[in-house]
Amino acid sequence: MTPISVVSYGLGPIGVSIARHALDIGHRIVGAVDIDPEKVGRDLGTLIGRDPLGVTVAADPAEALARGPEVVLHSTQSHIPQVLSQILDCLEAGACVVSTCEEMAFPWYRHPAAAHRIDRVAKARHVAAVGVGVNPGFVMDLLPVVLTAACREVRSIHVTRVVDAGTRRLPLQRKVGAGMTRAEFAQGVAEGRLGHVGLQESVALIADALGWPLDGITEDIEPVADGDQVRGLHQVARGAQGGRPVITLDLTMAVGAPNPRDSIIIEGDPPLHVTAAGGVHGDVATCAIAVNAIPRVLEAPPGLTAVHRLPPLRYGDARSAR
Amino acid sequence: MTPISVVSYGLGPIGVSIARHALDIGHRIVGAVDIDPEKVGRDLGTLIGRDPLGVTVAADPAEALARGPEVVLHSTQSHIPQVLSQILDCLEAGACVVSTCEEMAFPWYRHPAAAHRIDRVAKARHVAAVGVGVNPGFVMDLLPVVLTAACREVRSIHVTRVVDAGTRRLPLQRKVGAGMTRAEFAQGVAEGRLGHVGLQESVALIADALGWPLDGITEDIEPVADGDQVRGLHQVARGAQGGRPVITLDLTMAVGAPNPRDSIIIEGDPPLHVTAAGGVHGDVATCAIAVNAIPRVLEAPPGLTAVHRLPPLRYGDARSAR
């Protein structure tokens, strides 16, 4: 393969696993960015459990971007207002961006002005930006979209994802409210600290792909609890047409959730019922998807794009010549 | 939607259902081609069970192509040597081609010279050509490729498709040998009259998408029979690397085949096990995929392409503005 020069922007659990995987398959990490004082100044290789790389983690993105990466693997926060200037910096520096920021999976939905700005800057610098991940970005949106290719009629799409948060890292367990009381959970939801980010983006992505104008998108979050002891959350987003829900995304992430799976039901002609037994493992898959997106973003037309507008991301591609 | 002007080339069962569906969703059929004397000279609308269209089925493709279609929906035969001149005619006339010819799903595998010629003519006329269908083209190749996006390692891919041919049209039952004796089946296979066309193409498509060089592709066909009474076939194609099968496509099409399904097992990190319960209905899905390919082929770069090199085909797209 042709190694691609990348910058790792954000070294939380996901960012570290992305950096590790990119390195392991032969990409060249030329810079790294994180604001955590425990990480700044350290050698990236040592930090991620590999051989020293001679790449020092910088707090200032300009330092890393000055190395002229072809692609920035961006993994910091979930909301576009938090990451907008980070992404613009990367694009201004002439690098393509693959971001795991959840709202970047379909940024036109919640932040059309920011999306327009990202698109404009990317086009001006002849680079592309895309938001990726397992959810949003794959199991609850792209996969159902891909399946509809086989349908001459689609009346509704219903996706159920059940994740046993007990098998996942602690920050995720906290994000879904495990260990809280019901009152703490309700407060966390009200303050926007709890809940999966990106479910509405997934609805918007599906509607965009199918050309479905929606009345609107609604979302409900409730705790999964034993008595007052919260184990996780149950979150449902719905897109309606003429008052009828045509897209329903039903997500449960809870410690001990039974029968973990991803299940896609398309009501149409033909009807389809597709299930990933056990579900697609979130963190591993997001790491894989980010690295597998590298060749796709490099060959994408300049601008802000989305996974359903690109040829399919796939494994192994990065190993072959561009 | 913007209606697209299309020509229906080939009016067998699949061609008719494609024409009907294209018409039903609002495309404009400007010409039709078939060599069957029972069909030539008839009004296409009447022939396919719709209102008269004022389009007469022609035996001579030049007559239909002179109407300047944007896209030809081509559905005649399974092998490239049979369809090469048909496809070249369409491209020379300046039309994009969506073909259900099985070998067109990955023409570089068996007919690289023909593929090169199709590509050259398409590029010269600034149009694109693509082979599509449910199998090859979707369940046993594209879908596993799409799923690998979530994997940071893929060691092997195993797809099982089981079709109860009893629920399908008679020509398909004949194609899989239902009703024959074992001796007739063996002779049919030896003469190339029996068997599913395209399984090796599916292996080649997956290998291409993943950048896997293969030692080679092998294929076995055996009857599914009760005593001497054949009910269908069991066909397996394998792609190997270093002597180890890394891609196995296992297809059973037989009257009364139990547990019809499409099942994809990816051995990797994470492992994936995805199943379409009941299986994706072949004829309906192929018809849908051909029509859903129209917007994708129109926006594709000129030349011969393949489904894994295009943004995902999906339902409904043809209804939205281009």
Side-chain angles (χ1 to χ4, degrees):
Chain A
M1 89 163 196
T2 313
I4 306 298
S5 63
V6 304
V7 155
S8 288
Y9 196 137
L11 295 168
I14 300 291
V16 164
S17 74
I18 291 172
R20 225 177 251 156
H21 181 46
L23 201 62
D24 290 348
I25 70 164
H27 291 308
R28 211 153 42 84
I29 305 189
V30 297
V33 186
D34 201 283
I35 52 165
D36 181 349
E38 303 267 304
K39 292 172 186 166
V40 174
R42 290 186 59 188
D43 181 90
L44 176 68
T46 315
L47 182 67
I48 66 176
R50 296 292 186 268
D51 291 335
L53 274 175
V55 170
T56 305
V57 178
D60 180 2
E63 209 173 298
L65 294 170
R67 309 293 182 88
E70 292 173 83
V71 177
V72 174
L73 301 171
H74 174 265
S75 188
T76 62
Q77 286 140 299
S78 300
H79 301 283
I80 285 185
Q82 300 167 325
V83 304
L84 178 60
S85 71
Q86 300 168 5
I87 288 174
L88 292 175
D89 283 348
C90 301
L91 298 170
E92 292 280 12
C96 288
V97 174
V98 173
S99 177
T100 62
C101 167
E102 281 88 342
E103 288 184 352
M104 276 288 285
F106 197 78
W108 301 272
Y109 168 59
R110 232 184 271 258
H111 305 285
H116 182 69
R117 203 166 149 204
I118 294 170
D119 186 55
R120 216 175 45 218
V121 172
K123 281 181 174 139
R125 302 306 314 248
H126 303 286
V127 288
V130 65
V132 302
V134 70
N135 183 29
F138 193 70
V139 282
M140 298 190 85
D141 40 33
L142 182 67
L143 214 47
V145 165
V146 166
L147 289 169
T148 67
C151 299
R152 61 187 173 194
E153 192 191 350
V154 175
R155 290 185 295 275
S156 72
I157 294 176
H158 192 119
V159 185
T160 304
R161 177 165 168 85
V162 178
V163 176
D164 177 359
T167 66
R168 299 281 300 273
R169 64 200 152 86
L170 261 167
L172 183 117
Q173 295 186 22
R174 283 199 205 100
K175 200 186 77 168
V176 303
M180 291 182 174
T181 63
R182 284 176 181 271
E184 287 164 348
F185 183 92
Q187 197 180 342
V189 170
E191 291 170 3
R193 282 184 291 103
L194 277 193
H196 167 74
V197 179
L199 208 57
Q200 294 188 48
E201 277 71 11
S202 290
V203 175
L205 188 156
I206 294 172
D208 177 75
L210 273 48
W212 281 359
L214 297 179
D215 308 339
I217 299 175
T218 59
E219 190 170 43
D220 295 298
I221 306 182
E222 55 179 27
V224 175
D226 299 323
D228 197 40
Q229 175 76 23
V230 174
R231 288 190 288 114
L233 57 75
H234 177 216
Q235 188 167 341
V236 183
R238 292 182 182 83
Q241 274 188 326
R244 192 177 69 91
V246 289
I247 302 170
T248 305
L249 305 185
D250 185 311
L251 174 67
T252 297
M253 301 177 94
V255 174
N259 191 14
R261 68 193 182 280
D262 297 309
S263 167
I264 300 167
I265 296 178
I266 298 178
E267 221 197 316
D269 179 25
L272 294 177
H273 186 170
V274 173
T275 302
V280 179
H281 190 290
D283 292 348
V284 179
T286 291
C287 153
I289 289 169
V291 174
N292 290 333
I294 293 173
R296 290 289 84 74
V297 77
L298 280 170
E299 71 192 20
L304 174 62
T305 186
V307 282
H308 64 295
R309 297 176 184 173
L310 295 176
L313 279 52
R314 60 248 188 193
Y315 166 78
D317 212 27
R319 290 152 205 259
S320 61
R322 276 197 288 154
Chain B
M1 89 162 195
T2 314
I4 306 298
S5 63
V6 303
V7 155
S8 288
Y9 196 137
L11 296 168
I14 300 290
V16 164
S17 75
I18 291 173
R20 225 177 250 154
H21 180 47
L23 200 63
D24 289 349
I25 70 164
H27 291 308
R28 212 154 41 84
I29 305 189
V30 298
V33 185
D34 201 283
I35 52 164
D36 180 350
E38 303 266 305
K39 294 171 184 167
V40 174
R42 291 185 60 187
D43 181 272
L44 176 68
T46 316
L47 181 68
I48 66 175
R50 296 291 185 269
D51 291 336
L53 274 175
V55 170
T56 305
V57 178
D60 180 3
E63 209 173 296
L65 294 170
R67 309 293 183 87
E70 291 173 85
V71 177
V72 174
L73 301 171
H74 174 266
S75 190
T76 61
Q77 286 141 298
S78 300
H79 301 283
I80 286 186
Q82 300 167 326
V83 304
L84 178 60
S85 71
Q86 300 167 7
I87 288 174
L88 292 175
D89 283 349
C90 301
L91 298 170
E92 292 281 11
C96 288
V97 173
V98 173
S99 177
T100 63
C101 167
E102 281 87 342
E103 290 185 351
M104 276 287 286
F106 197 79
W108 300 273
Y109 168 60
R110 232 185 273 258
H111 304 285
H116 182 68
R117 203 165 150 203
I118 294 169
D119 185 56
R120 216 175 43 217
V121 172
K123 279 181 174 141
R125 302 306 314 248
H126 302 287
V127 289
V130 65
V132 302
V134 71
N135 183 30
F138 193 70
V139 282
M140 298 190 85
D141 40 33
L142 183 67
L143 214 48
V145 165
V146 166
L147 289 169
T148 67
C151 299
R152 61 185 172 193
E153 191 190 352
V154 175
R155 289 184 296 275
S156 71
I157 295 176
H158 193 120
V159 185
T160 304
R161 178 164 167 85
V162 177
V163 176
D164 177 359
T167 66
R168 299 282 299 274
R169 63 198 153 86
L170 260 168
L172 183 116
Q173 295 186 21
R174 283 198 207 101
K175 199 185 78 170
V176 302
M180 292 183 174
T181 64
R182 283 176 181 269
E184 287 165 348
F185 184 92
Q187 196 180 343
V189 170
E191 290 169 3
R193 282 184 291 105
L194 276 193
H196 167 74
V197 179
L199 208 57
Q200 294 187 46
E201 276 72 12
S202 290
V203 174
L205 188 158
I206 293 173
D208 178 74
L210 272 48
W212 282 359
L214 296 179
D215 308 338
I217 300 174
T218 58
E219 189 171 43
D220 295 297
I221 306 182
E222 55 181 23
V224 174
D226 299 324
D228 197 42
Q229 176 77 24
V230 174
R231 287 191 288 114
L233 57 76
H234 176 218
Q235 187 167 342
V236 183
R238 291 182 183 85
Q241 273 187 329
R244 193 178 69 92
V246 289
I247 303 170
T248 305
L249 306 184
D250 185 312
L251 174 66
T252 298
M253 302 177 94
V255 174
N259 189 15
R261 69 193 181 280
D262 296 309
S263 167
I264 300 167
I265 296 177
I266 297 178
E267 220 197 317
D269 179 26
L272 294 176
H273 187 171
V274 173
T275 303
V280 179
H281 190 290
D283 292 349
V284 178
T286 291
C287 153
I289 289 170
V291 174
N292 290 335
I294 292 173
R296 289 290 84 74
V297 77
L298 279 170
E299 72 192 20
L304 174 62
T305 187
V307 282
H308 65 294
R309 297 176 185 173
L310 296 175
L313 278 52
R314 59 247 188 195
Y315 166 79
D317 213 27
R319 289 151 205 259
S320 61
R322 274 196 289 155

